[in-house]
Amino acid sequence: MKVRNSQTSPQQLRCGAVALKRSEQDAIQVCMLGKMPVLEGLWGPDLRMRDSGLGVDVGVCPDEAPSPPVWGSLRTPPITCGGLSLALELPALIRQLRAVWRARRGGPRGPEKSQASTWVESEKEEVEEVKQGVKTGALIWKCPAGGVESGTRRKVKRQLSFQRYCHASRLLRGAMPNTPGSLHLLDENYLGQAAHMLSKVGTWNFDIFLFDRLTNGNSLVTLMCHLFNVYGLIHHFQLDMVKLHRFLGMVQEDYHSQNPYHNAVHAADVTQAMYCYLKEPKLAEQLSPLDVFLALMAAAAHDVDHPGVNQPFLIKTQHHLASLYQNTSVLESHHWRSTVGMLRESGLLSHMPADISQDIEQQLGSLILATDISRQNEFLSTFREHLDNQDLDLQLASHRHFILQIALKCADVCNPCRVWELSRQWSERVCEEFYRQGDLERKFHMEISPLCNQQADSVPAIQIGFISYIVEPLFDEWHRFTEPSSLSHTMTGHMHKNKARWSRLRYANTPSDSQAEEPEGGGRGGEVEGIS
């Protein structure tokens, strides 16, 4: 069907952007239906995806001149979406999409409906369909018996990040997100208190829960903008503030607020901890602006779009992400690729040369992949060997990058090193997330994963094991590296007090509430055996 080359409207541009974003979901759907043997053509052994599925820079505003693609070596053969080639130029793609849309609707739209109303009504239907799936807990994965548990083909294609799809589609229509956490207008008293807290953001007893309430659920965006200003990164890298805020907003929205632990508040907490580590005298003097930029970005996005279940669960339920990343660092690879997609969609690095932006993407991936808890012993033994040999040279970029990997791992599991009032909240949150996974496994008659059985695994028992096997070995070596450091002394002191307190709670068989013990200590951390 031939379509006239009419002037493209914002609604048509939105359609093109949404279609481009769906290309990765299309690949996943084909994989789930058994039509794609192995993803060797897109991913090599090192799991580096050679194309994010974004054929054009959809983050550029319509009135901006389109920037040339910067993917370079990441380019793959043309990807198709619903039979349409994404290698086409955007105007041609929009024309094809418009033609397909009309054909699917039974021909040209009638005079009773305008083009805008047609697109908006369709978008409302799709968004409501996805929302309904969220309300009913319709996560899309395969059950052991085979077959997709629930949802339509259209829902399946969006499961890679349905939250950001809904959010982006509303923004592209010019509508504000209809969620309480998205209201940025605050009472002056709240703004003043939040600003006062930011003046003390480098202190270890920073209360991220209070800060999140004062910023009306926008702790991650507010904190990152503040830290970028503190370090002068916006001026140094000539960042566009609109694009930066767009990117940070996408990252914050892509965290699942329904997760008790792996949500945007956790990301803000890890970012604040990373800032404290970057200020360590032994490290601060050697860091370049690029090191700081990478460290803060990786901390903010290290768990983006986390589904609230661990990697073994995704593997045994044959989730499409497990197939996509070949059962290796599944969640971390997804966090990284989601971050890369949002970077490109927002156009935050579009003004940089292609080789620099690609290098930033790869280094972000290296940092985020280091948070895989299954690689804990690998990083710990290398770190211990460097300290024993005293051969760390922070003048070398590779050594600085390794220390940033260790710093991010510490920030990710630092909750047992916080004061008790904060640490206890994180402990209860992460255990609640474990128990939810156990309930889901029980519902589908699956073997309940370790630490996920609420009847057998108590919060104190989980915390004692986590501190003993994960947190203590890592922070003992971090203390060796940063010595002399008052922060390290403070963290290890909290960690030992918290472990002792959890032990008393465990053997006394008392609730882990704030009235049960004296006001000292705390516990919990980032992940336990596969939770990341």
Side-chain angles (χ1 to χ4, degrees):
M1 179 172 60
K2 187 174 180 180
V3 182
R4 280 185 301 119
N5 184 12
S6 58
Q7 185 177 4
T8 57
S9 67
Q11 289 79 11
Q12 292 170 324
L13 289 172
R14 179 194 55 74
C15 177
V18 171
L20 292 171
K21 287 173 60 178
R22 293 181 185 171
S23 60
E24 187 174 3
Q25 285 92 324
D26 282 335
I28 292 170
Q29 175 66 3
V30 173
C31 179
M32 290 181 65
L33 295 177
K35 297 179 182 178
M36 183 180 295
V38 183
L39 298 177
E40 295 175 351
L42 292 177
W43 287 268
D46 59 351
L47 298 179
R48 288 183 299 174
M49 186 173 171
R50 300 196 187 99
D51 199 300
S52 69
L54 299 177
V56 296
D57 186 359
V58 298
V60 178
C61 296
D63 56 344
E64 291 180 337
S67 57
V70 296
W71 316 158
S73 61
L74 301 179
R75 172 75 58 190
T76 59
I79 299 176
T80 61
C81 174
L84 301 177
S85 173
L86 299 186
L88 296 173
E89 294 296 327
L90 184 57
L93 175 62
I94 292 173
R95 288 195 296 272
Q96 284 202 23
L97 288 169
R98 188 179 177 187
V100 171
W101 177 265
R102 287 181 173 177
R104 209 173 83 182
R105 285 290 180 180
R109 63 182 183 276
E112 70 280 359
K113 286 190 177 182
S114 65
Q115 180 184 24
S117 63
T118 301
W119 283 106
V120 170
E121 288 181 14
S122 171
E123 199 66 39
K124 285 181 179 178
E125 294 174 4
E126 295 175 353
V127 170
E128 287 303 320
E129 186 178 349
V130 175
K131 283 184 178 178
Q132 189 63 31
V134 176
K135 290 180 181 178
T136 58
L139 294 175
I140 305 301
W141 44 52
K142 281 189 177 181
C143 290
V148 176
E149 177 61 27
S150 63
T152 62
R153 172 187 174 90
R154 189 163 52 186
K155 286 181 184 175
V156 172
K157 290 194 293 183
R158 294 192 189 126
Q159 285 304 305
L160 189 67
S161 181
F162 57 81
Q163 283 198 158
R164 184 157 59 85
Y165 171 80
C166 295
H167 176 65
S169 63
R170 288 194 296 270
L171 290 181
L172 288 167
R173 283 205 311 271
M176 288 301 295
N178 187 24
T179 56
S182 299
L183 299 177
H184 294 268
L185 298 178
L186 296 175
D187 185 276
E188 289 186 3
N189 292 331
Y190 280 86
L191 289 173
Q193 293 178 60
H196 177 70
M197 286 195 69
L198 282 176
S199 68
K200 300 181 179 181
V201 70
T203 59
W204 189 244
N205 62 348
F206 188 84
D207 189 340
I208 197 64
F209 297 109
L210 174 59
F211 184 70
D212 190 65
R213 291 193 295 271
L214 293 176
T215 57
N216 201 26
N218 290 285
S219 55
L220 184 58
V221 173
T222 307
L223 179 62
M224 282 290 286
C225 288
H226 173 75
L227 296 180
F228 268 51
N229 278 315
V230 166
Y231 280 107
L233 298 177
I234 297 172
H235 174 75
H236 181 85
F237 291 102
Q238 296 296 297
L239 300 177
D240 186 316
M241 274 301 299
V242 173
K243 293 181 179 180
L244 176 62
H245 201 273
R246 181 191 306 161
F247 168 76
L248 295 176
M250 291 165 65
V251 171
Q252 182 172 270
E253 282 287 330
D254 221 10
Y255 279 95
H256 298 196
S257 59
Q258 65 268 28
N259 288 346
Y261 181 80
H262 288 104
N263 50 42
V265 183
H266 166 66
D269 183 63
V270 172
T271 303
Q272 190 270 336
M274 175 62 84
Y275 174 59
C276 292
Y277 299 157
L278 295 179
K279 290 173 59 185
E280 288 282 27
K282 199 165 185 178
L283 190 58
E285 301 171 356
Q286 307 294 336
L287 294 175
S288 68
L290 179 59
D291 294 328
V292 175
F293 176 83
L294 290 169
L296 295 178
M297 292 280 280
H302 79 285
D303 272 334
V304 71
D305 201 34
H306 196 291
V309 293
N310 61 13
Q311 175 173 293
F313 182 88
L314 298 179
I315 292 174
K316 67 185 178 182
T317 55
Q318 303 178 44
H319 193 274
H320 64 263
L321 288 179
S323 301
L324 198 62
Y325 297 110
Q326 303 175 5
N327 298 341
T328 306
S329 296
V330 174
L331 288 169
E332 292 74 26
S333 298
H334 176 57
H335 304 326
W336 170 33
R337 282 302 163 190
S338 296
T339 304
V340 170
M342 286 183 284
L343 274 174
R344 297 179 179 181
E345 187 173 339
S346 66
L348 181 62
L349 307 180
S350 59
H351 63 290
M352 296 183 180
D355 56 338
I356 293 179
S357 60
Q358 289 178 18
D359 181 63
I360 289 175
E361 292 174 359
Q362 294 301 318
Q363 291 198 59
L364 279 175
S366 177
L367 290 173
I368 293 174
L369 289 173
T371 62
D372 185 352
I373 204 70
S374 66
R375 301 178 62 192
Q376 178 82 0
N377 290 333
E378 170 193 339
F379 279 94
L380 189 58
S381 60
T382 303
F383 191 30
R384 187 177 291 125
E385 183 179 347
H386 277 304
L387 295 177
D388 290 341
N389 297 333
Q390 298 183 352
D391 60 356
L392 276 173
D393 182 5
L394 297 183
Q395 298 288 335
L396 300 176
S398 59
H399 284 203
R400 292 199 306 274
H401 185 79
F402 174 74
I403 291 300
L404 291 181
Q405 289 177 313
I406 298 296
L408 182 57
K409 291 177 68 65
C410 289
D412 194 24
V413 298
C414 73
N415 304 146
C417 303
R418 300 281 192 181
V419 296
W420 171 256
E421 288 73 17
L422 299 177
S423 183
R424 177 182 59 83
Q425 293 185 64
W426 287 121
S427 300
E428 293 170 349
R429 283 168 174 261
V430 75
C431 289
E432 172 61 24
E433 196 163 296
F434 293 169
Y435 297 152
R436 287 188 184 184
Q437 176 178 322
D439 293 342
L440 198 58
E441 291 167 332
R442 188 179 294 107
K443 176 182 177 181
F444 291 115
H445 308 289
M446 301 159 56
E447 181 182 357
I448 299 179
S449 300
L451 311 179
C452 297
N453 189 339
Q454 189 168 5
Q455 285 71 41
D457 304 308
S458 66
V459 175
I462 291 174
Q463 296 315 305
I464 293 169
F466 180 77
I467 295 173
S468 299
Y469 296 106
I470 300 295
V471 181
E472 275 185 327
L474 180 60
F475 277 89
D476 285 346
E477 301 306 320
W478 181 257
H479 180 74
R480 287 177 60 194
F481 168 69
T482 58
E483 185 67 23
S485 166
S486 60
L487 175 59
S488 286
H489 282 287
T490 300
M491 291 191 300
T492 53
H494 287 319
M495 178 179 63
H496 295 312
K497 291 178 182 178
N498 296 342
K499 182 180 178 181
R501 186 163 188 173
W502 284 119
S503 297
R504 292 194 296 272
L505 288 170
R506 179 185 185 184
Y507 294 112
N509 195 26
T510 57
S512 58
D513 53 38
S514 56
Q515 289 79 25
E517 294 286 335
E518 62 278 4
E520 62 177 11
R524 225 317 285 164
E527 292 85 2
V528 180
E529 193 59 40
I531 299 291
S532 59

